[in-house]
Amino acid sequence: MELPDFVLMAASIVGFIAICKPLVGLVKWVWAMFLRPPKKLKEYGSWALVTGSTDGIGKAMAFELASKGLSLVLVGRNPSKLKAVSSEIRERHGEQVEVKSIVIDFAKFSRKEIAAFIKEGIEGIDVGVLINNVGLSYPYARFFHEVDLELMGSVMRVNIEGATWVTRSVLPGMLEKKKGAIINICSGSVLLPSYPLVTLYVAAKAYIAMLSKSLNLEYQQYGIAVQCQFPLFVATKMIFTKRSSFFVPSPETFSKASIRWFGYEHVCVPYWPHCVQWCLLRLLPNALWDWCILRHFLGVRKRGLVNAYKKNGVNQKNPRVVCIPPLNQLHLN
């Protein structure tokens, strides 16, 4: 074979591999997203524990798990909401599903209190699935120095310490039987180049992402799957809208997609339109993304300030919001 022919053949092989690689990736994605059978969750254990279970994704997840025949330990800070959700689940599923409740305010309880309450609440039951869903963000976007110390502490305790101490409390039981599934609901904002004006929230979620990846490496040898899910916008109180759409699913729609991924890949974007969004966002240059997202959240902050002033009034002696230079003096252009 002459050299030109060899070079042509080598180039053809390289080109074929380059074309096949994304096609194989697409086929695998379609299989995982639409065709792959979900895990039988009761094989992990007969009970599931869900934090943040009285609203949004956590509530929808509780109902979805109950529909799979799992009994539930619901964790939340509002006793009346926990009672209402528990009653609704019992009415829908009858004696098929047992429901227990644990009242914990992750923003106020100490680490020892969280661990003690969880340990007491799950004593004697077979918890096979843990959903760390509880989360807290700002009431509206704001600069880092505008976040008061109380809110800053609450965001860190709820998003970081909550998942950490609940996981620490549930793990020993899973280790004893050498099986279990831990699902940490993170945020798609962690996957983006930047997410300004909600900085502390996204930084806390980045902690959850790394915690999940590292725990999975530690415990997969013991039959425990730790997964981190990255939803983009879901129609919950967290994004101040209950109006769902194709790209902003309802909590129920997201939960159905989410459960299909339990026990498989250690990181995933479970709702397929979110995957499409993420692929499109990756095409943007980082500088363009930074420019767009900063201006978006400056607008969110401005509307939040207006609403806060309307609701609370302006008290010059004791302002509720730290004053900063007007937007046209921030030199952001």
Side-chain angles (χ1 to χ4, degrees):
M1 182 181 294
E2 296 182 0
L3 183 60
D5 293 334
F6 175 78
V7 171
L8 181 61
M9 180 178 292
S12 299
I13 293 173
V14 171
F16 179 74
I17 293 173
I19 293 173
C20 285
K21 187 175 180 180
L23 288 177
V24 170
L26 178 61
V27 170
K28 290 173 65 176
W29 179 79
V30 170
W31 162 255
M33 190 66 71
F34 303 107
L35 304 175
R36 182 174 63 186
K39 296 280 189 178
K40 296 179 179 179
L41 299 181
K42 293 194 77 172
E43 292 182 355
Y44 291 117
S46 56
W47 288 75
L49 187 150
V50 186
T51 66
S53 56
T54 57
D55 288 298
I57 292 174
K59 181 179 177 181
M61 201 77 78
F63 278 91
E64 194 64 27
L65 290 167
S67 71
K68 305 299 181 185
L70 272 75
S71 295
L72 298 169
V73 180
L74 305 180
V75 181
R77 66 184 177 89
N78 189 316
S80 59
K81 283 188 175 183
L82 279 172
K83 185 177 180 180
V85 173
S86 300
S87 299
E88 193 175 346
I89 291 173
R90 290 191 183 100
E91 288 176 7
R92 186 175 300 185
H93 299 283
E95 297 181 358
Q96 177 186 351
V97 172
E98 296 181 63
V99 184
K100 295 184 64 175
S101 298
I102 303 176
V103 179
I104 295 178
D105 188 340
F106 289 104
K108 297 178 179 178
F109 282 33
S110 69
R111 302 166 186 176
K112 289 184 178 180
E113 288 175 321
I114 294 172
F117 272 79
I118 295 295
K119 184 178 179 180
E120 180 183 348
I122 64 174
E123 189 173 358
I125 63 176
D126 180 19
V127 177
V129 178
L130 166 62
I131 314 290
N132 280 313
N133 167 74
V134 67
L136 177 68
S137 187
Y138 306 166
Y140 56 87
R142 57 187 69 183
F143 287 88
F144 190 73
H145 74 277
E146 294 179 309
V147 184
D148 62 80
L149 295 180
E150 182 180 354
L151 176 58
M152 186 173 286
S154 296
V155 169
M156 295 177 68
R157 284 191 294 271
V158 172
N159 294 299
I160 295 177
E161 294 188 12
T164 301
W165 290 103
V166 172
T167 301
R168 177 64 179 81
S169 301
V170 172
L171 259 176
M174 293 182 174
L175 279 170
E176 187 176 338
K177 62 185 181 180
K178 296 190 183 302
K179 59 181 177 180
I182 299 173
I183 291 81
N184 294 324
I185 306 300
C186 195
S187 170
S189 57
V190 173
L191 304 173
L192 300 171
S194 61
Y195 215 67
L197 276 71
V198 282
T199 302
L200 190 61
Y201 169 77
V202 71
K205 288 299 185 180
Y207 165 85
I208 295 299
M210 182 55 72
L211 178 74
S212 304
K213 295 174 187 177
S214 300
L215 286 179
N216 185 67
L217 282 175
E218 289 182 34
Y219 291 103
Q220 61 184 353
Q221 61 185 314
Y222 300 110
I224 300 171
V226 183
Q227 182 184 81
C228 189
Q229 296 195 354
F230 296 94
L232 274 69
F233 285 150
V234 179
T236 67
K237 293 179 180 179
M238 188 74 77
I239 65 166
F240 310 105
T241 181
K242 291 186 177 181
R243 183 180 299 176
S244 60
S245 63
F246 181 69
F247 285 114
V248 184
S250 66
E252 292 76 18
T253 299
F254 176 81
S255 296
K256 289 181 185 298
S258 171
I259 282 182
R260 290 185 56 86
W261 288 80
F262 285 13
Y264 285 110
E265 290 81 1
H266 67 279
V267 293
C268 66
V269 180
Y271 181 60
W272 76 266
H274 284 174
C275 286
V276 175
Q277 283 182 297
W278 168 233
C279 290
L280 294 175
L281 289 173
R282 289 179 63 186
L283 299 176
L284 293 177
N286 285 359
L288 178 59
W289 167 262
D290 291 343
W291 187 88
C292 292
I293 196 66
L294 180 57
R295 272 147 188 81
H296 166 73
F297 277 117
L298 285 173
V300 173
R301 174 187 175 276
K302 186 176 181 180
R303 292 191 294 273
L305 284 172
V306 170
N307 291 334
Y309 285 146
K310 286 181 179 178
K311 181 178 179 180
N312 302 307
V314 181
N315 185 337
Q316 296 294 339
K317 293 183 179 179
N318 184 25
R320 297 178 64 87
V321 181
V322 176
C323 294
I324 67 167
L327 298 184
N328 60 1
Q329 295 181 20
L330 291 176
H331 306 295
L332 298 172
N333 295 326

